[in-house]
Amino acid sequence: MSNHAHAAAVELFEHHRGLLDRAVQAIGERDYWSPFPESLKHYPEEAVKGAQSAFEGLLGRHFALAGPESVARVGAERSPYGFDLGVSYDQYDAEALMTRMQAALPAWRDAGPRARLGACLEMLQRLNALSPTLAHAVMHTSGQAYMMAFQAGGPHAQDRGLEALAYAWRAMAEVPETARWTKPQGKQEPLVLDKRWHIVPRGLSLVIACSTFPTWNTYPGLFASLATGNPVMVKAHPAAILPVAMSVRVAQEVLAELGFDPALVSLVVDTPEAPVSQRLALDPRVKLVDFTGSSAFGDWLEANARQAQVFTEKAGINSVIIDSVRDFKAVARNLAFSLSLYSGQMCTTTQAIYVPRGGIRAADGFLSFDEVAQGLAGAIRCFLADNERACAVMGAIQSEATAQRIQACRALGEVLLDSEAREHPQFPGARVHTPLLLKVDASARHAYAEERFGPIAFIVATDDSAHSLRLAGEVIGEKGALTLGVYSTDDAVLDRAEQLSQEVAVALSINFDGGVFVNQSAAFSDFHASGGNPAANASITDGAFVSRRFVTVQSRRQALA
Amino acid sequence: MSNHAHAAAVELFEHHRGLLDRAVQAIGERDYWSPFPESLKHYPEEAVKGAQSAFEGLLGRHFALAGPESVARVGAERSPYGFDLGVSYDQYDAEALMTRMQAALPAWRDAGPRARLGACLEMLQRLNALSPTLAHAVMHTSGQAYMMAFQAGGPHAQDRGLEALAYAWRAMAEVPETARWTKPQGKQEPLVLDKRWHIVPRGLSLVIACSTFPTWNTYPGLFASLATGNPVMVKAHPAAILPVAMSVRVAQEVLAELGFDPALVSLVVDTPEAPVSQRLALDPRVKLVDFTGSSAFGDWLEANARQAQVFTEKAGINSVIIDSVRDFKAVARNLAFSLSLYSGQMCTTTQAIYVPRGGIRAADGFLSFDEVAQGLAGAIRCFLADNERACAVMGAIQSEATAQRIQACRALGEVLLDSEAREHPQFPGARVHTPLLLKVDASARHAYAEERFGPIAFIVATDDSAHSLRLAGEVIGEKGALTLGVYSTDDAVLDRAEQLSQEVAVALSINFDGGVFVNQSAAFSDFHASGGNPAANASITDGAFVSRRFVTVQSRRQALA
């Protein structure tokens, strides 16, 4: 790295400094804040209009990135909306890649926090400008509907990236770069040392992306590692490479312009037949692993990647407890949207809804268990009656395995609402299925207390709300969860729920019957996962998410007399 | 816990708030600062005068603490100064202890950060008042000389405890307790949520103390865990229980006075024949383990206590590189003191001293390798010539194993300075041995590149300073180290050393030839260990040391319209 490069990166830091300072303020205050607009109206008209063709221009071609010599080309992404993307990507020899990234580390480390933050902030700004096009890539890999793919894959993902930068900057800035240490010695001359502290990265970072949120779940680890000095291999899910590759390209462009090796952020691709994550995760040079995906592989990483700090987000049994309500119709509408959004493929979507079999109190009277169950089924049916709206909310089912799971789960309980295949108005080949809602008894834990990923939910009949709370606590304690919703007009129940949420370290949402949903998580305000139950061993994003990515190394020099 | 107890703890917080704020300022500035005076002159005269008899009053008796029913009494401490302490301690059934501590957790958690900090700050103040007496207990378990036992075991240990509290407070205070989240919706009413965040402890904390620094190495983990809400079992080393027990008693008194279960801080004792650490460390309720001691057990904990966050400080090969000097006599005096202090039983004491076999440049001319080697041996001999001063610096050898190791190591190289047994002026039975200094070739890695705990050091003949730097880097990369000292008048060598220190994440001390020593580590300024090489998987104390001890759990409630 030349001094010029360093100066240019620090200039970018100064340029974006206001944004960073505002982000640091935001994580301290935790009110709503987002620098990246979630409405397409705020993006340049030509960028929005040209997004579709820009995306199409990427299809059926090789996607070139910086890296060592290519040893193979892979890529077999198929849109959940029914067509092959036809994009190929370079595979590198793992040894060659890691050797190159290790060689690039010292310059990136020595550039220091300001230069690294400058580069990372610039990457986010450019990613934001790319959002309308990125949205198509997210849509046609994850299956999210366009609007969600735009928001969750674009500005909301960028928010999460910036949030990670804010945490990283705050943590690094807590350590002064230098200090003079002067210890009085009574009447004698004081002892004086000149001290320096260096932020030293852990080593190579491996970020293993998922197929459902290829950017939202990837940016926090990517930016937290990169800002703290660690070169990052982003291992894309074979079904959702393109949005990751586009993100890596933006990062590489910024790095190259600043005179750093663009391979400091490298794309790693593989195939379902020959996965590479295990081997990479065990390499002694890999000191950080971020993973979003199955509990099986997440648990394996935690158990085996012992040389690394491992951050996992895995499966869980997100739950809702209905004790009593002010307005059942509003509750049902809220839950209907929650369960339909992206066909239940969010890591925060509710799976188990606990309802006393004796029914619940509502402001306007009493509702039997069946009235609650049928009311919810009806609300979903009603919400999805307009097929165009339904498809715009549900999107498509990401994988065939999830579509098959819906069918397989029909036998697990009494069907309250059957899943239907739907025809997508624009994409006739799209894999669209409405939610399956089942009724089960509390004793059927084998049914509802295993993660059933996809649009599959259970209404669980319990003895009473105390039983609901106890059951939810047991299941979450054992299997984990990212979200717990509670509906109650009884302060004692809410107090108990608040206690329970601490006991099993799950985020609690109380009486959501309006325009906010239990499965939504807002950057700069909501901690996504707590790291305290089996659904995730880390929060995205908190202090512990960044502080483990670097160490502080000091030097102290006896001051010359 | 009653509301009264909570109020009293918060009152203590307000009472000590100035101290805490000053400590937070100190860790941000990292200049010299200590609130706990290291001179006995600043302690009440009667406390100092009565310390000896207060200590003697504890000998030959049972030391009672709060806890579940006692199932056995153990204790066989023998002073390295040659007498049995004769103190016994209660052993508890592990199940009963952990059940009780788990039961006490919710009240301690719910008391909140302010109340917990209030209690912890009060504990430190009382420990400080107890320092003159505590010093005798540290002296007659660790073998440290009285003055060092007083400073390192008293005020310096309290500094480290307060430092951990400052980090814990800063990390917890970064998360607001509540916020209103208001998301604009264009012309519609905004979405409004009321949010709360709870600091939730990980679970039970196990702090495994060592025999050489029973308080200094224990307080950081103890106070970091306790302040963040985790009940703490302090497992004392069988050879150094008393100072730990006295510290636990102080903590229990404060907890009991405030209406908390005193067993929130519990003493765990065992015997060399029936150790209990392994079993406790694997218990699923134990979520935090702090350990200072051997690499073998530290590595075992890291590999096996998978349910816990594990913080270890283990063995390493602390090193010094001599390239060129301004004033060799001053360097030799400085190193002589370093090597003699507490008979080399500090985790920061130099073991390997790399010197080019062609000699070094000095301001006043050239020095051959032998002149350097003999000069250092002579400086130690001279420094220890006065037996009374020697004993006041060296103290006693903590364990018979270390005394035997000195003998066993004599065969590892050419003896430059042989170890001598000395008679202690006050304690004829004291185990006192002067340092052993050996000369070896760089090729004799089996000799100098294995930890030789105790007053055993090697002068290693290298090809040149580049070789010294390379060797030190290799050895530290492989075996770890807490300290690296470099002497050079050549900026290029110092720059390379500064790079090297980052590559192997070791704290660097440059040209120490005055009144500061490489093995000293000052709270609020020096990070003790980096956590980035095999000598320790964590730093004491940095952000990562505390942020992993709690998770943040949120609740959000739809605001009533």
Side-chain angles (χ1 to χ4, degrees):
Chain A
M1 180 198 53
S2 68
N3 285 333
H4 169 75
H6 182 258
V10 171
E11 237 170 69
L12 282 174
F13 175 79
E14 295 305 336
H15 178 69
H16 296 302
R17 179 70 194 252
L19 178 67
L20 182 63
D21 287 345
R22 182 63 187 85
V24 170
Q25 181 192 336
I27 58 173
E29 296 177 347
R30 308 198 87 80
D31 188 2
Y32 170 79
W33 181 68
S34 168
F36 300 117
E38 65 179 10
S39 162
L40 277 164
K41 282 184 295 189
H42 292 92
Y43 290 76
E45 203 180 320
E46 69 189 89
V48 176
K49 276 192 178 159
Q52 170 98 26
S53 64
F55 166 68
E56 285 167 2
L58 299 169
L59 303 184
R61 309 175 57 152
H62 185 64
F63 193 99
L65 286 166
E69 202 187 341
S70 173
V71 295
R73 288 186 169 188
V74 301
E77 293 160 285
R78 181 173 172 79
S79 170
Y81 292 90
F83 58 91
D84 291 324
L85 303 197
V87 187
S88 68
Y89 309 87
D90 289 314
Q91 250 189 340
Y92 313 115
D93 174 65
E95 196 55 38
L97 179 63
M98 286 191 273
T99 300
R100 172 148 169 194
M101 294 177 80
Q102 282 280 81
L105 186 152
W108 186 241
R109 175 191 71 206
D110 295 346
R114 267 185 295 268
R116 291 195 301 266
L117 263 291
C120 289
L121 289 161
E122 178 66 17
M123 291 172 199
L124 283 174
Q125 289 291 6
R126 295 193 194 181
L127 285 168
N128 184 243
L130 192 64
S131 297
T133 304
L134 207 44
H136 286 279
V138 170
M139 175 181 181
H140 289 294
T141 50
S142 70
Q144 291 173 23
Y146 181 76
M147 203 52 211
M148 180 173 178
F150 169 72
Q151 293 185 335
H156 294 177
Q158 293 141 20
D159 280 347
R160 283 286 173 192
L162 178 59
E163 185 184 33
L165 292 184
Y167 274 95
W169 172 248
R170 188 168 74 178
M172 293 190 289
E174 279 173 352
V175 184
E177 293 181 11
T178 61
R180 172 159 281 207
W181 180 87
T182 306
K183 182 175 180 179
Q185 297 291 296
K187 288 169 190 160
Q188 297 188 298
E189 285 292 298
L191 299 172
V192 182
L193 297 179
D194 284 322
K195 301 192 178 186
R196 292 174 66 185
W197 290 275
H198 303 283
I199 301 292
V200 172
R202 289 270 178 193
L204 299 188
S205 171
L206 172 66
V207 178
I208 303 173
C210 66
S211 60
T212 47
F213 288 90
T215 59
W216 197 96
N217 272 87
T218 302
Y219 288 178
L222 165 61
F223 284 102
S225 278
L226 197 59
T228 52
N230 308 276
V232 184
M233 291 182 277
V234 191
K235 156 62 183 75
H237 189 285
I241 305 173
L242 187 57
V244 177
M246 292 170 71
S247 304
V248 169
R249 179 178 277 173
V250 167
Q252 292 194 336
E253 282 169 359
V254 172
L255 289 165
E257 286 172 28
L258 292 171
F260 295 102
D261 185 347
L264 281 165
V265 178
S266 286
L267 178 69
V268 174
V269 290
D270 61 2
T271 63
E273 298 73 38
V276 302
S277 293
Q278 281 190 309
R279 192 221 139 153
L280 293 178
L282 299 185
D283 190 281
R285 289 162 290 194
V286 171
K287 300 293 191 190
L288 298 161
V289 178
D290 288 86
F291 169 76
T292 309
S294 72
S295 292
F297 194 57
D299 292 343
W300 182 90
L301 285 168
E302 291 173 27
N304 292 282
R306 311 300 322 288
Q307 86 293 348
Q309 309 282 321
V310 176
F311 304 83
T312 61
E313 185 189 317
K314 302 170 289 186
I317 315 295
N318 299 312
S319 307
V320 158
I321 292 166
I322 305 181
D323 167 71
S324 48
V325 298
R326 290 177 298 192
D327 176 349
F328 179 69
K329 286 210 170 102
V331 170
R333 271 196 306 270
N334 183 287
L335 289 176
F337 181 83
S338 264
L339 295 170
S340 303
L341 184 62
Y342 187 29
S343 305
Q345 296 170 102
M346 298 176 73
C347 51
T348 47
T349 303
T350 302
Q351 174 175 309
I353 301 167
Y354 298 94
V355 178
R357 66 173 64 86
I360 65 166
R361 276 178 293 107
D364 44 350
F366 176 86
L367 291 168
S368 71
F369 177 91
D370 282 337
E371 285 171 319
V372 172
Q374 293 300 337
L376 185 52
I380 299 170
R381 197 180 294 117
C382 172
F383 178 69
L384 300 177
D386 177 335
N387 190 52
E388 193 148 347
R389 182 172 79 169
C391 290
V393 170
M394 296 192 303
I397 301 292
Q398 200 281 322
S399 77
E400 188 51 36
T402 297
Q404 287 171 7
R405 188 177 305 114
I406 304 171
Q407 286 312 305
C409 286
R410 295 176 72 249
L412 290 175
E414 180 187 327
V415 174
L416 290 165
L417 179 70
D418 209 350
S419 174
E420 301 167 7
R422 290 283 182 92
E423 178 129 341
H424 194 281
Q426 286 95 52
F427 300 97
R431 195 189 291 121
V432 181
H433 297 271
T434 65
L436 171 70
L437 188 65
L438 298 166
K439 169 183 164 180
V440 293
D441 188 75
S443 59
R445 283 214 202 182
H446 65 282
Y448 65 86
E450 297 294 332
E451 194 189 50
R452 312 291 181 184
F453 185 79
I456 301 155
F458 299 84
I459 300 192
V460 183
T462 64
D463 298 344
D464 51 29
S465 288
H467 187 207
S468 296
L469 285 157
R470 199 171 66 244
L471 258 185
E474 285 174 15
V475 169
I476 295 172
E478 193 185 327
K479 299 293 175 68
L482 299 188
T483 61
L484 171 65
V486 172
Y487 292 92
S488 182
T489 57
D490 181 341
D491 281 345
V493 171
L494 293 179
D495 286 349
R496 178 66 201 116
E498 191 100 16
Q499 283 283 320
L500 177 71
S501 74
Q502 294 179 65
E503 287 161 15
V504 295
V506 69
L508 181 65
S509 297
I510 301 169
N511 291 336
F512 276 22
D513 64 4
V516 189
F517 306 94
V518 68
N519 38 350
Q520 293 177 328
S521 175
F524 306 105
S525 183
D526 292 324
F527 292 97
H528 180 70
S530 73
N533 72 49
N537 82 347
S539 172
I540 301 169
T541 308
D542 66 4
F545 187 71
V546 299
S547 64
R548 296 160 62 187
R549 294 177 196 262
F550 65 89
V551 301
T552 308
V553 174
Q554 67 174 38
S555 74
R556 44 185 194 173
R557 188 184 296 228
Q558 193 168 293
L560 289 170
Chain B
M1 181 199 53
S2 68
N3 285 334
H4 170 75
H6 182 258
V10 172
E11 237 171 70
L12 282 175
F13 175 79
E14 295 304 338
H15 178 69
H16 295 302
R17 179 72 194 253
L19 178 67
L20 182 63
D21 288 345
R22 182 64 186 83
V24 169
Q25 182 192 336
I27 58 173
E29 296 177 346
R30 308 197 87 79
D31 188 2
Y32 170 79
W33 181 67
S34 168
F36 300 117
E38 63 179 10
S39 162
L40 277 165
K41 282 185 295 189
H42 291 93
Y43 291 76
E45 203 181 320
E46 70 188 270
V48 177
K49 278 191 175 156
Q52 170 98 26
S53 64
F55 166 68
E56 285 168 0
L58 298 169
L59 304 184
R61 310 175 58 151
H62 185 66
F63 193 100
L65 286 165
E69 200 187 342
S70 174
V71 294
R73 287 185 170 190
V74 301
E77 293 160 286
R78 182 173 172 79
S79 170
Y81 293 89
F83 57 90
D84 291 323
L85 303 197
V87 186
S88 68
Y89 309 88
D90 288 314
Q91 251 190 339
Y92 312 115
D93 174 65
E95 195 55 38
L97 178 64
M98 285 191 274
T99 300
R100 172 148 169 194
M101 294 176 81
Q102 282 279 82
L105 186 152
W108 186 239
R109 176 191 71 207
D110 295 347
R114 268 185 294 268
R116 291 195 301 267
L117 262 291
C120 289
L121 289 161
E122 178 66 17
M123 291 172 199
L124 282 174
Q125 290 290 8
R126 295 193 193 181
L127 284 168
N128 183 244
L130 191 64
S131 297
T133 304
L134 207 44
H136 287 278
V138 170
M139 175 181 181
H140 290 293
T141 49
S142 70
Q144 291 173 24
Y146 182 77
M147 204 51 211
M148 180 173 178
F150 168 73
Q151 292 185 336
H156 294 177
Q158 293 140 21
D159 280 346
R160 283 287 173 193
L162 178 58
E163 185 184 32
L165 292 184
Y167 274 95
W169 172 248
R170 188 169 72 177
M172 293 190 289
E174 279 173 351
V175 183
E177 292 181 12
T178 62
R180 172 159 280 206
W181 181 87
T182 306
K183 181 175 181 178
Q185 296 292 293
K187 289 171 189 158
Q188 296 186 300
E189 285 292 299
L191 299 172
V192 183
L193 297 179
D194 285 322
K195 301 193 179 187
R196 292 173 66 184
W197 291 276
H198 303 282
I199 301 292
V200 171
R202 290 268 177 195
L204 299 189
S205 172
L206 172 66
V207 178
I208 303 173
C210 66
S211 58
T212 46
F213 287 91
T215 59
W216 197 95
N217 271 86
T218 302
Y219 288 179
L222 165 60
F223 283 103
S225 278
L226 196 60
T228 52
N230 307 276
V232 184
M233 291 181 276
V234 191
K235 158 56 185 78
H237 189 286
I241 305 173
L242 187 57
V244 176
M246 291 169 72
S247 303
V248 169
R249 179 178 277 173
V250 167
Q252 292 194 337
E253 281 169 0
V254 172
L255 289 165
E257 285 172 29
L258 293 171
F260 295 102
D261 185 347
L264 282 164
V265 178
S266 286
L267 178 70
V268 174
V269 290
D270 61 2
T271 63
E273 297 73 38
V276 302
S277 292
Q278 281 191 309
R279 191 220 140 156
L280 293 178
L282 299 185
D283 192 280
R285 289 163 289 194
V286 172
K287 300 293 191 191
L288 297 162
V289 178
D290 289 86
F291 169 75
T292 309
S294 72
S295 292
F297 194 58
D299 292 344
W300 182 90
L301 285 168
E302 291 173 26
N304 292 282
R306 311 301 321 285
Q307 84 293 347
Q309 309 282 321
V310 177
F311 304 82
T312 61
E313 185 189 317
K314 302 169 289 186
I317 314 296
N318 300 312
S319 307
V320 159
I321 292 166
I322 305 182
D323 166 70
S324 49
V325 298
R326 290 177 298 192
D327 176 351
F328 180 69
K329 287 209 170 103
V331 170
R333 272 196 306 270
N334 182 286
L335 289 176
F337 182 82
S338 263
L339 295 171
S340 302
L341 185 62
Y342 187 30
S343 307
Q345 296 170 102
M346 298 176 73
C347 50
T348 46
T349 303
T350 303
Q351 175 175 310
I353 301 168
Y354 298 94
V355 178
R357 65 173 64 85
I360 65 166
R361 276 178 295 106
D364 44 351
F366 176 86
L367 291 168
S368 71
F369 177 91
D370 282 337
E371 283 171 320
V372 172
Q374 293 301 338
L376 186 52
I380 298 171
R381 198 179 293 116
C382 172
F383 179 68
L384 301 178
D386 177 332
N387 189 52
E388 193 149 347
R389 181 173 79 171
C391 290
V393 170
M394 296 193 303
I397 301 291
Q398 201 281 322
S399 77
E400 189 49 37
T402 297
Q404 288 171 6
R405 188 176 305 113
I406 304 171
Q407 286 313 306
C409 286
R410 295 177 72 250
L412 290 174
E414 179 187 327
V415 175
L416 290 165
L417 179 71
D418 208 350
S419 174
E420 300 167 8
R422 291 281 183 92
E423 178 128 342
H424 194 282
Q426 287 94 51
F427 300 96
R431 195 189 290 120
V432 180
H433 298 271
T434 65
L436 172 70
L437 187 66
L438 298 166
K439 170 183 162 181
V440 292
D441 189 75
S443 59
R445 282 214 202 183
H446 65 281
Y448 65 86
E450 297 295 331
E451 194 188 51
R452 312 292 181 184
F453 186 78
I456 301 155
F458 300 84
I459 300 192
V460 182
T462 64
D463 297 345
D464 50 29
S465 288
H467 187 207
S468 297
L469 284 157
R470 199 172 65 245
L471 259 184
E474 285 174 16
V475 169
I476 295 172
E478 193 186 326
K479 298 294 174 67
L482 300 187
T483 61
L484 170 65
V486 172
Y487 292 93
S488 181
T489 56
D490 180 343
D491 282 344
V493 170
L494 293 179
D495 286 350
R496 177 67 201 115
E498 191 100 17
Q499 282 283 320
L500 177 71
S501 75
Q502 295 178 64
E503 287 161 16
V504 295
V506 68
L508 181 66
S509 297
I510 300 169
N511 291 335
F512 276 22
D513 64 4
V516 189
F517 306 92
V518 68
N519 38 349
Q520 292 177 327
S521 174
F524 306 106
S525 183
D526 292 325
F527 292 98
H528 181 71
S530 73
N533 72 49
N537 81 349
S539 171
I540 301 167
T541 309
D542 66 4
F545 187 71
V546 299
S547 65
R548 294 160 63 188
R549 294 177 196 263
F550 65 89
V551 299
T552 308
V553 174
Q554 68 174 37
S555 74
R556 45 186 193 172
R557 189 183 295 229
Q558 192 166 294
L560 289 170

